[in-house]
Amino acid sequence: MAGASGGLPLKTVARVPLSGPSVRFDYTTLDQGSNRLYIAHMDASELLVFDVRHRKIVKTLPAPGVHGVIAVPQLGRVFASATNAREVLTIDAKTDAVIARAPAGQYPDGLAYDPVERHVFVSDESGGVETVLDAGGRRIATIPLGGEAGNVQYDAGSGHILADVQTRDVVAIIDPKTNRVVRRIPLHGCANDHGLYVDSTRRLAFVACDQNATLLTLDLRTMTVTGSASVGDSPDVLAFDTSLRRLYVSAESGVVAVFAETAHGVRKLGQAFLATEAHTVAVDARTHLVYFPLESGSAGGPQLLIMKPS
């Protein structure tokens, strides 16, 4: 079963069947403490809870049109955007029970957690706002962005929230103490900034521009774009191995690009077509295993493709 994927510095470890129909997946999140990978099976309206140690689904939770999901071990909670219900669900990580529901705008999508304020930020993509929830899952604020909301990330270095404003090609900097946009950073060379990852330690942010298949490096010290690289068409989700310092960029086109982070940016290690709709990815920095939920596998039906660096 093992073998390198041509053009990618990855080899297959396992292909695990997943439940449900062969329809679209979206974001994933890993809780290392519980060894659980939460997988948004979007068009099945289900949140899958996958045990990465035993490689099996341990729970399936109804979540209408689920897009974004984030595990917050500090709170013992998981937050998921049930987009079709226009809500964010707060889930008890021990019991898997939904303990709160909050309105989250027109099209709730990606999420980020601020461990200082203990607030969750939810991108309302078409509504053009960030919805703010408290630790109990109650909506406490909305922040207008002035354009469609892309992904959102917390920057521990500044204590700020960064949010893509994809119809304006800027990153909005939000002060979570006041829940206001305090600055807008133009992204020259970007068309529709949607994906986002922040490496607070290196003071770098990586922005995926889905209309011109470009990955930008944003220096968080100077708030300027310092690098650009090509990726697959319609890049979507970014994942980062914090110990190997590898960045994975998955695209709607099924193309995956792998980068090594340098002191000031990234260096491409490989890029290739992986699988149809391989647009979402997660990585475990302890094991370096990389997880790609796929709509359809070689045996038919959805599957989780597990890979490791080759």
Side-chain angles (χ1 to χ4, degrees), residues 91-109:
I91 300 162
D92 186 303
K94 288 185 177 179
T95 65
D96 295 318
V98 175
I99 57 175
R101 300 173 184 267
Q106 299 176 25
Y107 198 89
D109 196 357

Side-chain angles (χ1 to χ4, degrees), residues 2-209:
S5 179
L8 286 174
L10 293 169
K11 61 182 179 181
T12 299
V13 173
R15 294 177 181 269
V16 182
L18 296 176
S19 62
S22 295
V23 294
R24 182 180 176 87
F25 290 93
D26 210 2
Y27 288 102
T28 60
T29 185
L30 179 69
D31 182 343
Q32 292 185 341
S34 65
N35 290 299
R36 285 180 158 196
L37 179 70
Y38 295 85
I39 305 170
H41 200 178
M42 186 180 93
D43 285 350
S45 290
E46 293 179 340
L47 181 64
L48 306 182
V49 186
F50 184 84
D51 184 324
V52 297
R53 179 173 293 171
H54 297 100
R55 293 183 180 169
K56 65 178 184 179
I57 294 172
V58 294
K59 193 77 173 181
T60 301
L61 305 175
V66 59
H67 277 64
V69 58
I70 185 170
V72 183
Q74 302 96 315
L75 300 177
R77 300 285 184 266
V78 177
F79 298 87
S81 52
T83 307
N84 293 358
R86 299 184 176 183
E87 293 179 332
V88 170
L89 310 180
T90 303
I91 300 162
D92 186 303
K94 288 185 177 179
T95 65
D96 295 318
V98 175
I99 57 175
R101 300 173 184 267
Q106 299 176 25
Y107 198 89
D109 196 357
L111 305 94
Y113 177 65
D114 173 0
V116 177
E117 298 298 319
R118 291 163 56 93
H119 290 164
V120 176
F121 289 75
V122 187
S123 287
D124 175 7
E125 185 170 1
S126 56
V129 304
E130 288 296 326
T131 298
V132 188
L133 310 179
D134 65 14
R138 182 175 63 95
R139 184 173 67 174
I140 57 173
T142 56
I143 306 167
L145 296 177
E148 281 191 3
N151 206 354
V152 58
Q153 291 274 293
Y154 174 71
D155 173 27
S158 65
H160 286 155
I161 296 291
L162 277 62
D164 284 328
V165 189
Q166 57 193 30
T167 46
R168 296 186 62 178
D169 298 326
V170 303
V171 168
I173 311 298
I174 297 169
D175 182 347
K177 291 183 174 59
T178 62
N179 288 325
R180 294 180 181 274
V181 175
V182 295
R183 190 174 178 183
R184 298 179 187 273
I185 309 302
L187 298 172
H188 302 297
C190 186
N192 212 69
D193 53 313
H194 180 70
L196 179 65
Y197 181 82
V198 171
D199 181 1
S200 299
T201 304
R202 292 276 177 94
R203 308 305 299 131
L204 297 173
F206 302 105
V207 184
C209 309

